[in-house]
Amino acid sequence: MPSVYIKTYGCQMNERDSEAVAAQLVAKGYSLAASEHVADVVLLNTCSVRDNAEQTALNKMTNVISDARKQRPNQIFGFLGCMAQSRGKELIDRLPDVDLVLGTQKFHRAAEYLNDLLGGKRNKVVDTEAEQGSEGTIKEHLLNGAAKDKAVTAFVSIMQGCNQYCTFCIVPYTRGEERSRTIPDIVAECRQLVAQGVKEITLLGQIVTSYGRRRPVTPSLSPSDGERVAKPSEGIVPLKDGKSAFVQLIEAVHEIEGLERIRFTSPHPKGYGDDLVAAYARLPKLVESAHLPVQSGSDRVLKLMHRGYTRARYLEIIRKLRAARPGIGITSDIIVGFPGETEADFEETLSLCREVEFDNAYLFKYSQRKDTPAASMPDQLPEPLIEERHARLLELINTIGKRRYEAFIGRQTQILVEGPSRRNEARMAGRTRCNKIVVFGGSARHRGELLDVKITRVGSFTLYGDPAIVNL
Ligand code: 5AD
C-alpha cells in the first residue's frame, strides 16, 4: 500500500485538517511515512496568512521535487489547504510536477484523488470548489499517532470560515463563509474522543466565538460586501437564556463525563460577551486561559483593520475575565506595521501590552495579502521600520512574559501530562490550566495524568517543576 508524508504549515486548524487527512488515508490502507524521502506521496498543507508562509511551502515543494527527480520518479506531490485554495491551478503552472491541488473545503476527497493519481486514472487534479456541508467533514482522528501512545488531548473542528473581513486578512477568501456544525454532531465526536482516553479538548475554528450565529449559507469563496450579521432568530443555534450558541456548545461539551479540560481557539474579542465571561466563572472544565488577538493598541488602527472593538472595550474584556477567573493566562496576536501605523499608534500598542501584561503574544510583521483592502491602503510601511518596531515589541513581550512566568516559582500547580518533552525526550511535559508548558522529571506512566507539580525555575516561556517535592 502507498505511503504518505504530510507536512503542515500554519495554525492549529491546519494541524487538525492534516490529522483528518492522515486518518482518512490510513483508513483507506495508506501508511504514514517518516519523511518525504521514503514516501510515495508528499502533501504540503499550506498557510496563506503571510507571504513568508507561502514562500516557505513553495521552496519546500521545489526542493522535494528536485530531489525526487533523481531518486523517486513516481512520487506524487500535492498542495492542500489555504494556499491551494487561493492559488489553485497557478501552482501547477508554476511547478508542473505537482499532481494535486486541494482546497480548504475538499480535504475529505484526498484519498479518492490520490487513488486516481496513483492508479493512473487521472493525470492532475485541481479541486478548489466550495462544497455544501464541508464544515462537517473534518472528523477523523489519529489518536494513536506517530508516538504510538494514546492521545491525551484532541482538537475538534467546530466550524469553518470567517465573515469578519479584517482588512489585512486573507482567511475569509481561503476558508470561505462561516459555516458551523451542529451541537449534537460536535458533542458526539467529543464523547468518542473521551471514551478513547482524551482528557482535554480544544474547540477549533477561524472565529469560534461566532459559532452557530449564521444560517449555513450557500458556501461561497468570494468576498461578500462586508459582514452579514445574522439576527438571533436567523442563526442555526438561537440565543437561549441570553447565552450565545458558542456558550451553549461549551456547556454541552462540559457535560461529558471523563472530560477534564476544555479550551478553544481562535476567538474574536467581539465575541467575549458577558455570557462567555460568566461561563468562565461557572464552568470548571473551561480552563483559565484565553487567547485574545488584539492586533493593535491604537483605536485609529483598529478601525482601519475593521476589528470591531476599541482599545477601551478590549481592556474591559480583560478586566472582566480576570475578575471572573483570577490567574487566567492571557495571550494575544499583534500585527506590527499595518499600513499607516504611526510611531504614536505603535506606542499605543506598547502601552496596551504594558497595561494588559500578556503571558505571551505572537508578533506578526504586516504582510500585504492579495485582494485584501489593506493591501491597497496608502502608506505601506518600509521593511526596516517594521523590523525595528517588531524588535522593540518583542523585547517588551519577552520582558513581561519572563516576569509573569517567574511569578510561578515556588507555586504548586496542576498539569495534564501530555508526553515526553520536545526538547529533552528524557523528561516529561504537561500543561497548566492557564496553558503554560511545564517540564519535569517524570516517566511515561504519568502520561494522561492530572498531576500537581511545584514550579522550581523558568526558561523561555517554559516552567520547570518537580512532582517529588509536592506536599513537603
Ligand atoms: N500580515 C501579518 N499578520 C497577519 N495575520 C493575519 N493576517 C496578517 C497579515 N496580512 C496575523 C494576525 C492573526 C494571526 C493568525 O495572523 O495577527 O491573528
Side-chain angles (χ1 to χ4, degrees):
M1 262 312 204
S3 63
V4 59
Y5 176 71
I6 308 179
K7 184 162 176 65
T8 309
Y9 299 88
C11 63
Q12 283 152 313
M13 278 70 84
N14 288 8
E15 294 285 350
R16 175 69 194 101
D17 294 337
S18 291
E19 186 202 15
V21 169
Q24 175 202 144
L25 293 173
V26 167
K28 294 266 153 62
Y30 285 69
S31 63
L32 299 179
S35 80
E36 70 264 28
H37 306 295
V38 291
D40 299 308
V41 177
V42 179
L43 301 176
L44 303 188
N45 192 7
T46 56
C47 170
S48 286
V49 153
R50 282 166 304 144
D51 186 52
N52 226 340
E54 292 205 348
Q55 295 310 326
T56 311
L58 285 167
N59 290 341
K60 176 76 181 175
M61 189 61 98
T62 308
N63 292 339
V64 172
I65 288 171
S66 81
D67 197 40
R69 274 220 187 97
K70 294 167 226 154
Q71 299 160 32
R72 299 177 298 279
N74 297 323
Q75 208 167 22
I76 298 281
F77 307 103
F79 279 116
L80 315 182
C82 287
M83 184 171 66
Q85 187 68 48
S86 67
R87 296 200 183 203
K89 184 179 165 296
E90 177 203 319
L91 290 168
I92 295 186
D93 297 339
R94 183 175 172 151
L95 292 168
D97 289 298
V98 168
D99 305 284
L100 173 67
V101 177
L102 203 58
T104 53
Q105 303 198 19
K106 296 292 179 180
F107 291 111
H108 58 291
R109 308 282 299 266
E112 174 194 334
Y113 289 145
L114 287 176
N115 284 346
D116 285 356
L117 288 163
L118 285 160
K121 274 199 215 150
R122 293 181 198 236
N123 190 19
K124 303 271 172 202
V125 177
V126 178
D127 190 355
T128 55
E129 292 289 297
E131 184 171 322
Q132 196 127 31
S134 62
E135 66 277 10
T137 59
I138 305 296
K139 280 182 174 171
E140 289 102 339
H141 289 263
L142 204 61
L143 289 181
N144 304 309
K148 288 200 192 69
D149 290 315
K150 283 210 154 223
V152 175
T153 61
F155 294 91
V156 171
S157 171
I158 65 168
M159 67 185 299
Q160 289 286 334
C162 183
N163 290 39
Q164 179 64 25
Y165 290 96
C166 296
T167 54
F168 52 80
C169 190
I170 200 170
V171 166
Y173 315 104
T174 60
R175 289 282 180 170
E177 299 235 21
E178 288 167 21
R179 294 149 286 131
S180 300
R181 296 171 63 187
T182 65
I183 291 181
D185 193 27
I186 297 166
V187 169
E189 182 177 332
C190 295
R191 266 190 207 290
Q192 218 171 17
L193 290 166
V194 172
Q196 290 171 283
V198 165
K199 301 263 173 61
E200 175 183 304
I201 284 177
T202 304
L203 305 173
L204 283 183
Q206 278 82 38
I207 180 161
V208 286
T209 38
S210 294
Y211 168 80
R213 280 178 65 216
R214 281 158 216 284
R215 188 170 34 195
V217 287
T218 311
S220 123
L221 291 168
S222 57
S224 77
D225 339 316
E227 202 195 1
R228 190 186 72 86
V229 178
K231 292 185 217 101
S233 60
E234 202 186 292
I236 57 164
V237 187
L239 281 179
K240 197 164 100 195
D241 306 329
K243 290 179 215 156
S244 63
F246 184 54
V247 170
Q248 293 174 51
L249 171 68
I250 296 172
E251 282 182 345
V253 174
H254 196 272
E255 294 207 346
I256 300 174
E257 225 170 287
L259 178 65
E260 301 280 355
R261 293 173 165 193
I262 303 171
R263 302 184 187 278
F264 55 80
T265 205
S266 272
H268 187 286
K270 73 173 189 175
Y272 273 80
D274 287 345
D275 61 330
L276 183 54
V277 173
Y280 273 96
R282 197 159 41 85
L283 303 173
K285 293 179 187 177
L286 181 58
V287 292
E288 41 276 41
S289 167
H291 179 66
L292 266 166
V294 67
Q295 312 300 358
S296 169
S298 151
D299 279 341
R300 205 184 66 81
V301 173
L302 287 171
K303 197 159 185 191
L304 286 172
M305 288 177 163
H306 191 235
R307 288 294 289 172
Y309 54 85
T310 59
R311 174 191 177 101
R313 170 67 187 137
Y314 185 86
L315 292 173
E316 185 191 11
I317 295 166
I318 302 284
R319 204 169 49 245
K320 284 185 172 177
L321 279 172
R322 285 187 166 146
R325 276 291 182 86
I328 189 167
I330 295 178
T331 56
S332 198
D333 290 346
I334 302 170
I335 294 179
V336 181
F338 184 81
E341 182 190 76
T342 63
E343 175 62 23
D345 291 321
F346 177 65
E347 277 170 19
E348 294 222 45
T349 299
L350 292 173
S351 79
L352 180 128
C353 293
R354 279 188 213 103
E355 208 169 324
V356 174
E357 298 204 334
F358 292 115
D359 293 84
N360 197 358
Y362 303 94
L363 310 186
F364 298 87
K365 294 173 203 157
Y366 172 71
S367 168
Q368 268 177 302
R369 307 314 293 132
K370 197 176 72 175
D371 299 333
T372 58
S376 50
M377 282 182 187
D379 200 9
Q380 303 282 327
L381 300 195
E383 194 75 33
L385 182 57
I386 297 180
E387 291 286 346
E388 187 239 340
R389 287 184 184 164
H390 178 267
R392 282 162 69 194
L393 185 54
L394 186 63
E395 194 186 332
L396 178 65
I397 293 298
N398 286 342
T399 306
I400 294 170
K402 184 158 185 276
R403 200 160 60 224
R404 290 192 64 85
Y405 273 66
E406 279 172 350
F408 276 79
I409 295 176
R411 274 203 232 160
Q412 190 170 311
T413 183
Q414 183 211 63
I415 60 167
L416 176 61
V417 182
E418 293 180 10
S421 157
R422 271 202 220 164
R423 290 247 186 99
N424 179 355
E425 289 266 315
R427 294 171 73 78
M428 296 294 283
R431 246 169 235 274
T432 66
R433 289 171 57 95
C434 61
N435 211 20
K436 294 182 173 53
I437 291 175
V438 179
V439 175
F440 68 103
S443 70
R445 77 186 154 82
H446 289 117
R447 195 184 163 92
E449 276 180 19
L450 288 167
L451 199 70
D452 280 334
V453 290
K454 189 162 175 179
I455 304 305
T456 52
R457 63 190 175 95
V458 305
S460 172
F461 296 103
T462 308
L463 300 173
Y464 292 89
D466 198 342
I469 56 173
V470 165
N471 303 328
L472 281 188

mmCIF file of all heavy atoms in Angstrom, residues 49-50 168-169 293 295 333-335 364-367 369, ligand 1:
data_model
loop_
_atom_site.group_PDB
_atom_site.id
_atom_site.type_symbol
_atom_site.label_atom_id
_atom_site.label_comp_id
_atom_site.label_asym_id
_atom_site.label_seq_id
_atom_site.Cartn_x
_atom_site.Cartn_y
_atom_site.Cartn_z
ATOM 1 N N VAL A 49 -1.471 33.154 5.461
ATOM 2 C CA VAL A 49 -1.669 34.340 6.284
ATOM 3 C C VAL A 49 -0.614 35.410 6.013
ATOM 4 O O VAL A 49 -0.901 36.592 5.987
ATOM 5 C CB VAL A 49 -1.762 33.919 7.764
ATOM 6 C CG1 VAL A 49 -1.308 35.022 8.696
ATOM 7 C CG2 VAL A 49 -3.188 33.556 8.098
ATOM 8 N N ARG A 50 0.621 34.977 5.797
ATOM 9 C CA ARG A 50 1.665 35.921 5.407
ATOM 10 C C ARG A 50 2.403 35.372 4.196
ATOM 11 O O ARG A 50 2.456 34.166 3.980
ATOM 12 C CB ARG A 50 2.644 36.155 6.553
ATOM 13 C CG ARG A 50 2.088 37.092 7.610
ATOM 14 C CD ARG A 50 2.906 37.041 8.856
ATOM 15 N NE ARG A 50 2.970 35.670 9.331
ATOM 16 C CZ ARG A 50 4.029 35.120 9.906
ATOM 17 N NH1 ARG A 50 5.124 35.830 10.065
ATOM 18 N NH2 ARG A 50 3.996 33.878 10.322
ATOM 19 N N PHE A 168 -6.734 43.259 6.757
ATOM 20 C CA PHE A 168 -5.412 42.690 6.449
ATOM 21 C C PHE A 168 -5.480 41.216 6.079
ATOM 22 O O PHE A 168 -4.495 40.650 5.617
ATOM 23 C CB PHE A 168 -4.475 42.836 7.664
ATOM 24 C CG PHE A 168 -5.065 42.310 8.962
ATOM 25 C CD1 PHE A 168 -5.066 40.954 9.236
ATOM 26 C CD2 PHE A 168 -5.629 43.174 9.892
ATOM 27 C CE1 PHE A 168 -5.618 40.463 10.409
ATOM 28 C CE2 PHE A 168 -6.189 42.691 11.071
ATOM 29 C CZ PHE A 168 -6.179 41.336 11.327
ATOM 30 N N CYS A 169 -6.621 40.574 6.286
ATOM 31 C CA CYS A 169 -6.633 39.109 6.405
ATOM 32 C C CYS A 169 -7.181 38.378 5.183
ATOM 33 O O CYS A 169 -8.232 38.715 4.648
ATOM 34 C CB CYS A 169 -7.448 38.735 7.634
ATOM 35 S SG CYS A 169 -7.300 36.996 8.051
ATOM 36 N N PRO A 293 -6.689 37.782 20.395
ATOM 37 C CA PRO A 293 -5.903 38.580 19.436
ATOM 38 C C PRO A 293 -6.335 40.045 19.441
ATOM 39 O O PRO A 293 -7.483 40.348 19.162
ATOM 40 C CB PRO A 293 -6.235 37.919 18.085
ATOM 41 C CG PRO A 293 -6.738 36.555 18.425
ATOM 42 C CD PRO A 293 -7.440 36.710 19.744
ATOM 43 N N GLN A 295 -4.275 42.644 17.966
ATOM 44 C CA GLN A 295 -3.739 43.167 16.693
ATOM 45 C C GLN A 295 -3.099 44.545 16.800
ATOM 46 O O GLN A 295 -2.063 44.798 16.203
ATOM 47 C CB GLN A 295 -4.802 43.167 15.572
ATOM 48 C CG GLN A 295 -5.598 41.871 15.402
ATOM 49 C CD GLN A 295 -4.774 40.635 15.069
ATOM 50 O OE1 GLN A 295 -3.569 40.714 14.924
ATOM 51 N NE2 GLN A 295 -5.427 39.491 14.973
ATOM 52 N N ASP A 333 -2.360 37.968 19.655
ATOM 53 C CA ASP A 333 -1.672 38.152 18.371
ATOM 54 C C ASP A 333 -1.605 39.655 18.116
ATOM 55 O O ASP A 333 -2.599 40.367 18.341
ATOM 56 C CB ASP A 333 -2.472 37.555 17.203
ATOM 57 C CG ASP A 333 -2.513 36.042 17.206
ATOM 58 O OD1 ASP A 333 -1.723 35.424 17.941
ATOM 59 O OD2 ASP A 333 -3.346 35.481 16.471
ATOM 60 N N ILE A 334 -0.465 40.117 17.630
ATOM 61 C CA ILE A 334 -0.315 41.550 17.341
ATOM 62 C C ILE A 334 0.352 41.707 15.976
ATOM 63 O O ILE A 334 1.332 41.016 15.674
ATOM 64 C CB ILE A 334 0.547 42.248 18.422
ATOM 65 C CG1 ILE A 334 -0.102 42.052 19.806
ATOM 66 C CG2 ILE A 334 0.722 43.732 18.104
ATOM 67 C CD1 ILE A 334 0.770 42.484 20.961
ATOM 68 N N ILE A 335 -0.192 42.601 15.170
ATOM 69 C CA ILE A 335 0.427 42.902 13.876
ATOM 70 C C ILE A 335 1.229 44.194 14.006
ATOM 71 O O ILE A 335 0.719 45.197 14.519
ATOM 72 C CB ILE A 335 -0.646 43.042 12.775
ATOM 73 C CG1 ILE A 335 -1.333 41.690 12.549
ATOM 74 C CG2 ILE A 335 -0.023 43.563 11.473
ATOM 75 C CD1 ILE A 335 -2.425 41.712 11.506
ATOM 76 N N PHE A 364 3.374 39.516 14.501
ATOM 77 C CA PHE A 364 3.376 39.304 13.055
ATOM 78 C C PHE A 364 3.769 40.593 12.355
ATOM 79 O O PHE A 364 3.161 41.637 12.613
ATOM 80 C CB PHE A 364 1.979 38.869 12.579
ATOM 81 C CG PHE A 364 1.522 37.568 13.171
ATOM 82 C CD1 PHE A 364 0.868 37.530 14.394
ATOM 83 C CD2 PHE A 364 1.756 36.369 12.511
ATOM 84 C CE1 PHE A 364 0.452 36.325 14.948
ATOM 85 C CE2 PHE A 364 1.347 35.165 13.052
ATOM 86 C CZ PHE A 364 0.695 35.135 14.273
ATOM 87 N N LYS A 365 4.764 40.505 11.495
ATOM 88 C CA LYS A 365 5.094 41.673 10.674
ATOM 89 C C LYS A 365 4.048 41.745 9.582
ATOM 90 O O LYS A 365 3.791 40.732 8.904
ATOM 91 C CB LYS A 365 6.484 41.505 10.051
ATOM 92 C CG LYS A 365 7.587 41.505 11.082
ATOM 93 C CD LYS A 365 8.911 41.161 10.427
ATOM 94 C CE LYS A 365 9.865 40.607 11.463
ATOM 95 N NZ LYS A 365 10.913 39.773 10.923
ATOM 96 N N TYR A 366 3.455 42.911 9.414
ATOM 97 C CA TYR A 366 2.387 43.043 8.421
ATOM 98 C C TYR A 366 2.874 42.575 7.047
ATOM 99 O O TYR A 366 3.966 42.916 6.603
ATOM 100 C CB TYR A 366 1.887 44.492 8.332
ATOM 101 C CG TYR A 366 0.930 44.661 7.178
ATOM 102 C CD1 TYR A 366 -0.344 44.105 7.233
ATOM 103 C CD2 TYR A 366 1.319 45.300 5.993
ATOM 104 C CE1 TYR A 366 -1.204 44.200 6.146
ATOM 105 C CE2 TYR A 366 0.463 45.398 4.912
ATOM 106 C CZ TYR A 366 -0.795 44.838 5.006
ATOM 107 O OH TYR A 366 -1.639 44.905 3.924
ATOM 108 N N SER A 367 2.027 41.796 6.385
ATOM 109 C CA SER A 367 2.342 41.267 5.051
ATOM 110 C C SER A 367 1.154 41.546 4.127
ATOM 111 O O SER A 367 0.008 41.223 4.466
ATOM 112 C CB SER A 367 2.591 39.754 5.199
ATOM 113 O OG SER A 367 2.626 39.125 3.959
ATOM 114 N N ARG A 369 -1.536 41.053 1.576
ATOM 115 C CA ARG A 369 -2.164 39.871 1.007
ATOM 116 C C ARG A 369 -3.053 40.243 -0.162
ATOM 117 O O ARG A 369 -3.827 41.219 -0.076
ATOM 118 C CB ARG A 369 -2.993 39.102 2.059
ATOM 119 C CG ARG A 369 -2.288 38.742 3.334
ATOM 120 C CD ARG A 369 -0.895 38.156 3.180
ATOM 121 N NE ARG A 369 -0.820 36.860 2.556
ATOM 122 C CZ ARG A 369 0.022 36.552 1.565
ATOM 123 N NH1 ARG A 369 0.840 37.466 1.063
ATOM 124 N NH2 ARG A 369 0.049 35.348 1.069
HETATM 125 N N1 5AD B 1 0.063 40.223 7.932
HETATM 126 C C1 5AD B 1 0.589 39.909 9.130
HETATM 127 N N2 5AD B 1 -0.057 39.169 10.031
HETATM 128 C C2 5AD B 1 -1.296 38.740 9.741
HETATM 129 N N3 5AD B 1 -2.173 37.994 10.448
HETATM 130 C C3 5AD B 1 -3.263 37.801 9.680
HETATM 131 N N4 5AD B 1 -3.121 38.419 8.500
HETATM 132 C C4 5AD B 1 -1.896 39.014 8.504
HETATM 133 C C5 5AD B 1 -1.181 39.803 7.582
HETATM 134 N N5 5AD B 1 -1.689 40.143 6.392
HETATM 135 C C6 5AD B 1 -1.910 37.538 11.811
HETATM 136 C C7 5AD B 1 -2.973 38.073 12.792
HETATM 137 C C8 5AD B 1 -3.757 36.837 13.138
HETATM 138 C C9 5AD B 1 -2.698 35.772 13.010
HETATM 139 C C10 5AD B 1 -3.213 34.379 12.899
HETATM 140 O O1 5AD B 1 -2.001 36.133 11.865
HETATM 141 O O2 5AD B 1 -2.325 38.562 13.942
HETATM 142 O O3 5AD B 1 -4.353 36.892 14.407
#
